[in-house]
Amino acid sequence: MSAPYLLWQVRDTGVGTDRTVLLAPTASCHDTQWARIEPLLPDRTPKRGGRWRDHREVIDAIAFKFQTGTRWVHLPEKFGNWRGVYNRLRMWTVDGTS
């Protein structure tokens, strides 16, 4: 039986096509996976406030959450504050990134 994979759907607003990227069930995404995901994410510069956590770290946290089925508040500390990860995913959902 093969290991489960997380499907990450990304909308490419420049071309108008949706792409689905498989994230392997690992602690972090591999360089080849990241190379496919990174260009489809918005600019990392926040519109207001302080510095944002790196997109790759947030993707890893989101993948962990959905692979394990854990609640947001139970994300491990290595991923930072769960609210930041949740809010980034929510913002990406609203603007059509995920």
Side-chain angles (χ1 to χ4, degrees):
M1 179 176 257
S2 64
Y5 286 86
L6 172 70
L7 291 177
W8 181 266
Q9 185 175 5
V10 181
R11 286 199 184 107
D12 185 353
T13 56
V15 178
T17 60
D18 291 347
R19 298 180 190 175
T20 302
V21 179
L22 289 176
L23 295 179
T26 59
S28 63
C29 63
H30 298 285
D31 291 338
T32 54
Q33 293 168 321
W34 181 244
R36 293 183 65 190
I37 295 171
E38 184 180 29
L40 304 174
L41 296 173
D43 183 22
R44 216 183 78 152
T45 308
K47 302 286 187 245
R48 59 185 175 176
R51 294 179 24 212
W52 271 16
R53 178 178 289 277
D54 184 53
H55 281 331
R56 189 170 185 164
E57 293 174 12
V58 173
I59 294 290
D60 290 341
I62 293 168
F64 177 86
K65 190 264 188 257
F66 288 109
Q67 287 171 352
T68 62
T70 189
R71 302 177 106 198
W72 285 109
V73 296
H74 296 141
L75 273 179
E77 289 183 17
K78 70 178 184 176
F79 295 122
N81 187 331
W82 70 269
R83 284 184 183 98
V85 176
Y86 171 80
N87 287 335
R88 185 93 58 97
L89 177 61
R90 188 174 50 83
M91 286 189 311
W92 285 346
T93 301
V94 168
D95 73 12
T97 301
S98 64

